[in-house]
Amino acid sequence: MGPLLYFALSVIQLSSILATEQIPLKCFLQDYNFFNIFDTSAVKTSSNVVPKTHSLHFDTVTVNSAGFDIDGWKHDGTNIKFQGLNDAILDEFGFNFTAKVLQLTFHTDMVVTYDYKSSGTLFSTPINGEGFAEVSLKNIQVSFIVPFDIKKDNDKKFIELKSFNYSYDIRDNATFKFLSLTSTNKELSESIEQQINQRWKYLTVHFGKVFYDSLAEKIFNVLKNYVMNFPLKNFGEC
Ligand SMILES: *[C@@H]1O[C@H](CO)[C@@H](O)[C@H](O)[C@H]1NC(C)=O
Ligand SMILES: *[C@@H]1O[C@H](CO)[C@@H](O)[C@H](O)[C@H]1NC(C)=O
Ligand SMILES: *[C@@H]1O[C@H](CO)[C@@H](O)[C@H](O)[C@H]1NC(C)=O
């Protein structure tokens, strides 16, 4: 375990008062390695199996497609790969059993690659091209607010995450590389790319949401399956 993750573990807050039951933090950390939840092999195993490996694999999160058509710019991505969760650092993680809300905040550097098709206009310039895109996000912070219910199955209590709210903030910067935004004119293409990079904040806030939505949805689903496997009753026994 790298020093960064070790640090992250130590800042986990678990506010965990469930009626009279307390969930000791040590149980949580010993038995459930939060940091491997994005391991795709863990996701594929049956929902009854709690991943217990202590190796850290976040792997790449892949989304088949996402796209937008905003202010005259149409931009569709396929085979979207989000890399960087491997090095994510938890800023905040806690269950509030009074408000029944799980809070999760982490930050990381991320590289997003995809195949794109783009048309319409951006910055009053006509765009018509397709190719490979690479977006580098330095210090993206993602926060989730996740309401949950405590469900009871036979004698076992578990947490069911209901829905989520999330927000993202790119705190350092973003760099965009597009292969050929206009198929006819290389200079124009480079000029648009330059403008995109100069106005990265506007781009990520105004147009990017649908891409982050698709990532957030994946993270939520992984989290939901994962948390479902916490048998609350057993926490008292470790
Ligand atoms: C949990 O939620 C309750 C109700 O909203 C709030 O009063 C309390 O401060 C929260 N606890 C923590 C540790 O945030
Ligand atoms: C972007 O942020 C990183 C730190 O995360 C910094 O090293 C880099 O120089 C910045 N790039 C630009 C173009 O500002
Ligand atoms: C989610 O965010 C919206 C808009 O900010 C807000 O109205 C809603 O109450 C939030 N829901 C939760 C569960 O926090």
Side-chain angles (χ1 to χ4, degrees), residues 105-137:
T105 302
F106 62 84
H107 70 272
T108 190
D109 290 344
M110 196 171 263
V111 175
V112 189
T113 57
Y114 58 95
D115 300 315
Y116 74 90
K117 273 192 180 151
S118 213
S119 58
T121 54
L122 176 65
F123 307 136
S124 311
T125 312
I127 282 178
N128 187 6
E130 58 185 274
F132 181 74
E134 183 179 299
V135 183
S136 166
L137 306 167

Tab-separated table of all heavy atoms in Angstrom, residues 105-137:
chain	number	residue	atom	x	y	z
A	105	THR	N	-16.061	11.922	-0.903
A	105	THR	CA	-15.335	12.912	-1.697
A	105	THR	C	-13.925	12.389	-1.935
A	105	THR	O	-13.287	11.888	-1.014
A	105	THR	CB	-15.256	14.274	-0.964
A	105	THR	OG1	-16.575	14.722	-0.681
A	105	THR	CG2	-14.552	15.311	-1.807
A	106	PHE	N	-13.482	12.453	-3.170
A	106	PHE	CA	-12.092	12.063	-3.456
A	106	PHE	C	-11.536	12.973	-4.534
A	106	PHE	O	-12.276	13.669	-5.232
A	106	PHE	CB	-12.015	10.593	-3.887
A	106	PHE	CG	-12.757	10.255	-5.150
A	106	PHE	CD1	-12.172	10.448	-6.387
A	106	PHE	CD2	-14.047	9.747	-5.088
A	106	PHE	CE1	-12.855	10.139	-7.556
A	106	PHE	CE2	-14.741	9.442	-6.255
A	106	PHE	CZ	-14.139	9.636	-7.489
A	107	HIS	N	-10.234	12.967	-4.671
A	107	HIS	CA	-9.630	13.716	-5.776
A	107	HIS	C	-8.526	12.890	-6.420
A	107	HIS	O	-7.943	12.002	-5.795
A	107	HIS	CB	-9.110	15.078	-5.316
A	107	HIS	CG	-7.908	15.010	-4.424
A	107	HIS	ND1	-8.005	14.893	-3.057
A	107	HIS	CD2	-6.591	15.027	-4.699
A	107	HIS	CE1	-6.792	14.860	-2.523
A	107	HIS	NE2	-5.913	14.934	-3.501
A	108	THR	N	-8.251	13.199	-7.664
A	108	THR	CA	-7.222	12.473	-8.395
A	108	THR	C	-6.900	13.208	-9.689
A	108	THR	O	-7.594	14.149	-10.060
A	108	THR	CB	-7.698	11.032	-8.730
A	108	THR	OG1	-6.607	10.272	-9.243
A	108	THR	CG2	-8.820	11.031	-9.764
A	109	ASP	N	-5.830	12.769	-10.349
A	109	ASP	CA	-5.586	13.208	-11.725
A	109	ASP	C	-6.201	12.151	-12.624
A	109	ASP	O	-6.107	10.961	-12.329
A	109	ASP	CB	-4.081	13.302	-12.016
A	109	ASP	CG	-3.423	14.462	-11.272
A	109	ASP	OD1	-4.156	15.354	-10.795
A	109	ASP	OD2	-2.191	14.454	-11.167
A	110	MET	N	-6.804	12.566	-13.690
A	110	MET	CA	-7.504	11.614	-14.531
A	110	MET	C	-7.195	11.864	-15.996
A	110	MET	O	-7.030	13.002	-16.424
A	110	MET	CB	-9.010	11.757	-14.264
A	110	MET	CG	-9.836	10.612	-14.755
A	110	MET	SD	-11.527	10.771	-14.163
A	110	MET	CE	-11.490	9.732	-12.752
A	111	VAL	N	-7.097	10.769	-16.739
A	111	VAL	CA	-6.962	10.886	-18.194
A	111	VAL	C	-8.178	10.221	-18.826
A	111	VAL	O	-8.488	9.073	-18.511
A	111	VAL	CB	-5.665	10.225	-18.706
A	111	VAL	CG1	-5.614	10.250	-20.231
A	111	VAL	CG2	-4.440	10.923	-18.124
A	112	VAL	N	-8.874	10.970	-19.653
A	112	VAL	CA	-10.066	10.449	-20.318
A	112	VAL	C	-9.766	10.362	-21.813
A	112	VAL	O	-9.344	11.345	-22.417
A	112	VAL	CB	-11.279	11.386	-20.101
A	112	VAL	CG1	-12.557	10.733	-20.601
A	112	VAL	CG2	-11.406	11.781	-18.635
A	113	THR	N	-9.948	9.178	-22.383
A	113	THR	CA	-9.743	9.028	-23.825
A	113	THR	C	-11.031	8.514	-24.453
A	113	THR	O	-11.788	7.784	-23.814
A	113	THR	CB	-8.620	8.029	-24.132
A	113	THR	OG1	-8.924	6.771	-23.532
A	113	THR	CG2	-7.275	8.521	-23.623
A	114	TYR	N	-11.269	8.902	-25.679
A	114	TYR	CA	-12.442	8.401	-26.403
A	114	TYR	C	-12.324	8.699	-27.888
A	114	TYR	O	-11.477	9.481	-28.323
A	114	TYR	CB	-13.730	9.003	-25.827
A	114	TYR	CG	-13.828	10.515	-25.837
A	114	TYR	CD1	-14.474	11.190	-26.874
A	114	TYR	CD2	-13.289	11.268	-24.806
A	114	TYR	CE1	-14.586	12.572	-26.881
A	114	TYR	CE2	-13.386	12.654	-24.805
A	114	TYR	CZ	-14.031	13.296	-25.840
A	114	TYR	OH	-14.128	14.672	-25.840
A	115	ASP	N	-13.181	8.025	-28.651
A	115	ASP	CA	-13.296	8.330	-30.078
A	115	ASP	C	-14.448	9.308	-30.224
A	115	ASP	O	-15.514	9.092	-29.658
A	115	ASP	CB	-13.598	7.049	-30.869
A	115	ASP	CG	-12.488	6.021	-30.697
A	115	ASP	OD1	-11.310	6.416	-30.791
A	115	ASP	OD2	-12.804	4.850	-30.439
A	116	TYR	N	-14.229	10.366	-30.970
A	116	TYR	CA	-15.276	11.381	-31.043
A	116	TYR	C	-15.727	11.662	-32.472
A	116	TYR	O	-14.999	11.409	-33.441
A	116	TYR	CB	-14.813	12.680	-30.383
A	116	TYR	CG	-13.815	13.441	-31.219
A	116	TYR	CD1	-14.251	14.384	-32.150
A	116	TYR	CD2	-12.465	13.199	-31.103
A	116	TYR	CE1	-13.352	15.065	-32.944
A	116	TYR	CE2	-11.565	13.876	-31.890
A	116	TYR	CZ	-11.999	14.803	-32.810
A	116	TYR	OH	-11.119	15.461	-33.601
A	117	LYS	N	-16.928	12.181	-32.525
A	117	LYS	CA	-17.454	12.785	-33.754
A	117	LYS	C	-17.984	14.139	-33.339
A	117	LYS	O	-18.720	14.248	-32.367
A	117	LYS	CB	-18.601	11.948	-34.314
A	117	LYS	CG	-18.143	10.835	-35.214
A	117	LYS	CD	-19.322	10.223	-35.965
A	117	LYS	CE	-18.773	9.117	-36.848
A	117	LYS	NZ	-19.717	8.057	-37.101
A	118	SER	N	-17.601	15.162	-34.071
A	118	SER	CA	-17.930	16.510	-33.649
A	118	SER	C	-18.433	17.302	-34.840
A	118	SER	O	-17.873	17.214	-35.932
A	118	SER	CB	-16.662	17.145	-33.076
A	118	SER	OG	-16.977	18.026	-32.046
A	119	SER	N	-19.503	18.092	-34.627
A	119	SER	CA	-19.996	18.939	-35.711
A	119	SER	C	-20.677	20.159	-35.120
A	119	SER	O	-20.813	20.281	-33.908
A	119	SER	CB	-20.972	18.145	-36.595
A	119	SER	OG	-22.041	17.675	-35.814
A	120	GLY	N	-21.083	21.062	-36.007
A	120	GLY	CA	-21.728	22.292	-35.547
A	120	GLY	C	-20.727	23.421	-35.461
A	120	GLY	O	-19.780	23.495	-36.253
A	121	THR	N	-20.918	24.288	-34.471
A	121	THR	CA	-19.971	25.391	-34.312
A	121	THR	C	-19.539	25.527	-32.863
A	121	THR	O	-20.299	25.229	-31.937
A	121	THR	CB	-20.593	26.750	-34.725
A	121	THR	OG1	-21.805	26.917	-33.984
A	121	THR	CG2	-20.871	26.823	-36.198
A	122	LEU	N	-18.314	25.960	-32.698
A	122	LEU	CA	-17.792	26.264	-31.365
A	122	LEU	C	-16.967	27.544	-31.486
A	122	LEU	O	-16.139	27.659	-32.395
A	122	LEU	CB	-16.926	25.097	-30.865
A	122	LEU	CG	-16.244	25.327	-29.521
A	122	LEU	CD1	-17.257	25.460	-28.398
A	122	LEU	CD2	-15.275	24.188	-29.215
A	123	PHE	N	-17.191	28.465	-30.592
A	123	PHE	CA	-16.542	29.783	-30.665
A	123	PHE	C	-16.734	30.385	-32.061
A	123	PHE	O	-15.784	30.892	-32.668
A	123	PHE	CB	-15.044	29.673	-30.338
A	123	PHE	CG	-14.752	28.991	-29.036
A	123	PHE	CD1	-13.736	28.038	-28.941
A	123	PHE	CD2	-15.487	29.280	-27.893
A	123	PHE	CE1	-13.456	27.406	-27.741
A	123	PHE	CE2	-15.205	28.653	-26.694
A	123	PHE	CZ	-14.193	27.709	-26.615
A	124	SER	N	-17.936	30.263	-32.580
A	124	SER	CA	-18.310	30.809	-33.897
A	124	SER	C	-17.521	30.186	-35.051
A	124	SER	O	-17.499	30.732	-36.147
A	124	SER	CB	-18.107	32.342	-33.954
A	124	SER	OG	-18.681	32.949	-32.837
A	125	THR	N	-16.864	29.093	-34.814
A	125	THR	CA	-16.100	28.440	-35.879
A	125	THR	C	-16.766	27.115	-36.232
A	125	THR	O	-17.099	26.347	-35.332
A	125	THR	CB	-14.653	28.152	-35.397
A	125	THR	OG1	-14.128	29.325	-34.802
A	125	THR	CG2	-13.784	27.696	-36.536
A	126	PRO	N	-16.957	26.849	-37.516
A	126	PRO	CA	-17.560	25.568	-37.890
A	126	PRO	C	-16.622	24.400	-37.574
A	126	PRO	O	-15.416	24.494	-37.798
A	126	PRO	CB	-17.764	25.687	-39.405
A	126	PRO	CG	-17.389	27.048	-39.779
A	126	PRO	CD	-16.670	27.696	-38.658
A	127	ILE	N	-17.228	23.347	-37.074
A	127	ILE	CA	-16.464	22.158	-36.706
A	127	ILE	C	-17.061	20.972	-37.445
A	127	ILE	O	-18.279	20.837	-37.531
A	127	ILE	CB	-16.572	21.906	-35.191
A	127	ILE	CG1	-15.657	22.854	-34.422
A	127	ILE	CG2	-16.241	20.472	-34.838
A	127	ILE	CD1	-15.767	22.677	-32.941
A	128	ASN	N	-16.200	20.161	-37.989
A	128	ASN	CA	-16.696	18.923	-38.588
A	128	ASN	C	-15.532	17.939	-38.650
A	128	ASN	O	-14.679	18.033	-39.526
A	128	ASN	CB	-17.258	19.191	-39.983
A	128	ASN	CG	-17.934	17.958	-40.551
A	128	ASN	OD1	-18.080	16.956	-39.852
A	128	ASN	ND2	-18.325	18.029	-41.807
A	129	GLY	N	-15.481	17.046	-37.696
A	129	GLY	CA	-14.350	16.128	-37.690
A	129	GLY	C	-14.585	14.958	-36.782
A	129	GLY	O	-15.559	14.906	-36.030
A	130	GLU	N	-13.698	14.003	-36.880
A	130	GLU	CA	-13.760	12.874	-35.962
A	130	GLU	C	-12.362	12.350	-35.734
A	130	GLU	O	-11.446	12.642	-36.501
A	130	GLU	CB	-14.667	11.776	-36.508
A	130	GLU	CG	-14.281	11.216	-37.853
A	130	GLU	CD	-15.337	10.220	-38.330
A	130	GLU	OE1	-15.234	9.057	-37.946
A	130	GLU	OE2	-16.247	10.632	-39.063
A	131	GLY	N	-12.211	11.593	-34.656
A	131	GLY	CA	-10.882	11.075	-34.362
A	131	GLY	C	-10.777	10.655	-32.918
A	131	GLY	O	-11.770	10.296	-32.282
A	132	PHE	N	-9.563	10.761	-32.408
A	132	PHE	CA	-9.266	10.309	-31.061
A	132	PHE	C	-9.075	11.530	-30.172
A	132	PHE	O	-8.442	12.499	-30.572
A	132	PHE	CB	-7.999	9.460	-31.099
A	132	PHE	CG	-7.590	8.911	-29.770
A	132	PHE	CD1	-8.286	7.851	-29.192
A	132	PHE	CD2	-6.497	9.447	-29.093
A	132	PHE	CE1	-7.909	7.344	-27.964
A	132	PHE	CE2	-6.113	8.935	-27.855
A	132	PHE	CZ	-6.808	7.889	-27.297
A	133	ALA	N	-9.658	11.487	-28.995
A	133	ALA	CA	-9.513	12.611	-28.069
A	133	ALA	C	-8.883	12.142	-26.769
A	133	ALA	O	-9.145	11.027	-26.304
A	133	ALA	CB	-10.876	13.224	-27.778
A	134	GLU	N	-8.036	13.006	-26.223
A	134	GLU	CA	-7.440	12.710	-24.924
A	134	GLU	C	-7.565	13.953	-24.053
A	134	GLU	O	-7.119	15.029	-24.428
A	134	GLU	CB	-5.972	12.328	-25.092
A	134	GLU	CG	-5.338	11.934	-23.772
A	134	GLU	CD	-3.882	11.522	-23.934
A	134	GLU	OE1	-3.626	10.537	-24.661
A	134	GLU	OE2	-3.014	12.193	-23.355
A	135	VAL	N	-8.198	13.775	-22.913
A	135	VAL	CA	-8.407	14.888	-22.002
A	135	VAL	C	-7.700	14.564	-20.690
A	135	VAL	O	-7.925	13.510	-20.089
A	135	VAL	CB	-9.913	15.111	-21.726
A	135	VAL	CG1	-10.119	16.318	-20.832
A	135	VAL	CG2	-10.680	15.268	-23.027
A	136	SER	N	-6.828	15.462	-20.290
A	136	SER	CA	-6.093	15.252	-19.046
A	136	SER	C	-6.628	16.209	-17.984
A	136	SER	O	-6.635	17.429	-18.182
A	136	SER	CB	-4.607	15.491	-19.316
A	136	SER	OG	-3.925	15.604	-18.107
A	137	LEU	N	-7.115	15.658	-16.891
A	137	LEU	CA	-7.715	16.468	-15.834
A	137	LEU	C	-6.810	16.434	-14.614
A	137	LEU	O	-6.596	15.380	-14.022
A	137	LEU	CB	-9.095	15.908	-15.464
A	137	LEU	CG	-10.078	15.743	-16.626
A	137	LEU	CD1	-11.271	14.904	-16.197
A	137	LEU	CD2	-10.531	17.100	-17.137
